[in-house]
Amino acid sequence: MATVTIYSLDYCPYCVQAKALLTNRGIAYEEIMVDSRDAETREQLRQRSGMKTFPQIFHGDALIGGFSDLKARDEAQGLDDLKA
């Protein structure tokens, strides 16, 4: 089971880039598509992460952040610690 979860929107280019980066690094992930009209789910995510933007990427219960955070982490230390 993937320990990385990415909450994404279907029209989000940063979501596509984040998924591509994870795939290119061989990291399994679970994608949860969020309906842009689902205000309740978006609010629950905002309360959990403090973020309003997408994607929202978690490793277990720990927030990684969005695509720029994932990319910065990859450039600084790599993403091997995210492999299941």
Side-chain angles (χ1 to χ4, degrees):
M1 178 175 206
T3 60
V4 174
T5 305
I6 180 168
Y7 293 87
S8 60
L9 301 172
D10 62 354
Y11 57 84
C12 171
Y14 294 107
C15 299
V16 172
Q17 291 177 4
K19 292 182 286 185
L21 178 57
L22 291 169
T23 298
N24 288 338
R25 298 296 184 265
I27 298 166
Y29 61 89
E30 176 185 8
E31 179 180 19
I32 299 176
M33 293 296 292
V34 177
D35 187 324
S36 61
R37 297 166 293 185
D38 185 351
E40 182 178 337
T41 299
R42 290 177 70 122
E43 178 58 21
Q44 288 172 351
L45 279 170
R46 189 194 63 75
Q47 288 180 11
R48 179 178 177 196
S49 68
M51 297 172 59
K52 293 181 180 180
T53 59
F54 285 84
Q56 294 186 24
I57 307 165
F58 291 85
H59 182 226
D61 290 329
L63 176 67
I64 293 172
F67 171 67
S68 59
D69 301 302
L70 182 68
K71 184 178 177 185
R73 181 178 179 152
D74 181 45
E75 291 170 354
Q77 68 189 45
L79 300 176
D80 287 342
D81 63 319
L82 302 180
K83 291 184 179 177

